[in-house]
Amino acid sequence: MLDLNIKMLMEKEYMNVEKNGYDIASRLRNFGISNYYKVVSAAYAAYLAKANQLEDLQSLLNYINTELPDEQQYFLKDQTSDVYWMSVIEISKAYTVETLLAVVLWMTNSMDGRKFGGESETPLSIVKLAYGLLKPENESIADFCSGTGVFLSYAAQMNKGSLYYGIEINTLAKELSEIRMSLLTDNHLIRQGSVFSMDADRTFDKIFSDSPWNVRSWKANSDEQTINEIEQIVPELKRATTADWHFIVNVMRHLKEEGKAVVTSSNGLTWNGGISKAIRERIVKLGWLEAVISLPANLYSTTSIPTSILVLSKKDNKVVRLIDASDMATVGRRQNELDDEAINEILELMTKNSANSKLVSIDEIATQDYAINPSRYLQKEVKVENGVPLGDLIVNITRGAQLKASELDELVSDKPTSYQYLMLANIQDGIISEDLPYLKELDKKQEKYCIKNNSLVISKNGAPVKVAVASVEKGKQILANGNLYIIELDETKADPYYVKAYLESENGAIALSRVTVGATLPNIPVDGLKKVLIPNPDMDTQKKVAEKYLTKVDEIKVLKYRLQKATSDLRSIFEEG
């Protein structure tokens, strides 16, 4: 560790890190080298040469071979060339020690929105906010999925008295974080590996986690016993298809009883239905959720979607602080950020109610079907560009047939016919099942309750609201249950799949929740449904959205088929053995 005056170094060099980093990158790019890690490793090697007055290549290589740990040698030497090393010597002579050190410590993979090859990094504004929420003071601090060490190195600059731990699966990212931390503090340990393979008895006072979202293959690099233990804590996780909630519950396994954790997530995690809703319910009832903060869109270099921060603890939280910071961004040319003023405002909102902050009981969260998106509770207006009431796009709307169970039992057929019956349970993940029950016959009076091709089908009762688009083969009829609305749209004005995609989006879900009435048995009245504003761009734009949506639907169908086949294959393994 060097005796660094970080404050002075930042005041002198931080504002120029972007420029100097790209100058170094340009020098390397002339020789066909542009990888992010190579740029930072060149800056580090040049810094070592400058700081130790090593003016020729052989002296530098001797220093690296004798003075640096094996891992740092690997980071500097991997996939390098003679041209690279000659560039390092030139770079060491062109810049000051302070400039090179600043590039090593603070150059990110996506400065000004321009991205090199390499890992995604946590935006500095999220790092600052997370640090402010955790308020570490000479404690054990961990970063799960620590990446290149952006959070840990920032924390070490702010507080040298803490013990720092990081774990990262990517080799180069882990080594870069190790280099950064070795320059800042001796009190650190950076491990390479999966967060699901950590010793169960390793716990921390404060944990930050910016884990990858929507990962589907996490179990391949995970300890089976760890996964089982996580799923025993939250049994609903057994049905989860992505690792998002597994990462979060794993954080809680390693958090001390009086500790606090800050994790990032996609906004969908805070309001999606299905298994995500069941997991949220479990998390809320466990008393882990302390606060949820909605962040602005386009903070990350790799995605423009708005994100959220969850603040977690084991204090048996009976109330949850909900903060909407989605409009607090400073807009950049390619990427947005939270400036220091916005970060301080968010931290203040953690302790007071306002138009953007509210303390909500877990009972109230239960009435919202355990959605924890702050906009659901703060009743902010949803911005709808070129908004048109859904009623203006509807040709006809009707409820399904209200059949008694006994009447339906008499109509059900064991053999395939031209008539089928659609119930709420037949709609899963926004897709109508292909195995609908058959009916023996259909009365003429019931034909008006049948679904036409491309009709929008929306659940009348219950939450979250289910939305689907019906595909009806020629010569067949599908009778809808009375718990469903059948909506024929004017397809010259609105594409059914576009409308469905909007109603299933975050803003669409909020709009539907606001026209829902009834606490014990929520339902949507027709008049309320017609008033929901739908963004209404030109049809070409709608078709593009619809095509993307259908592509994802096809992907889901393929994945479901594979899951069913794999499940079926399990039953024959014994016989094959």
Side-chain angles (χ1 to χ4, degrees), residues 105-106 148-158 164 177 180-181 184:
L105 288 176
W106 299 316
T148 58
V150 178
F151 173 80
L152 289 176
S153 57
Y154 178 82
Q157 292 166 44
M158 302 298 290
Y164 295 99
S177 64
R180 287 171 166 169
M181 292 302 288
L184 296 166

Side-chain angles (χ1 to χ4, degrees), residues 316-329:
D316 192 21
N317 298 286
K318 301 297 184 186
V319 292
V320 179
R321 173 67 65 181
L322 299 175
I323 297 173
D324 189 347
S326 58
D327 292 330
M328 295 186 185

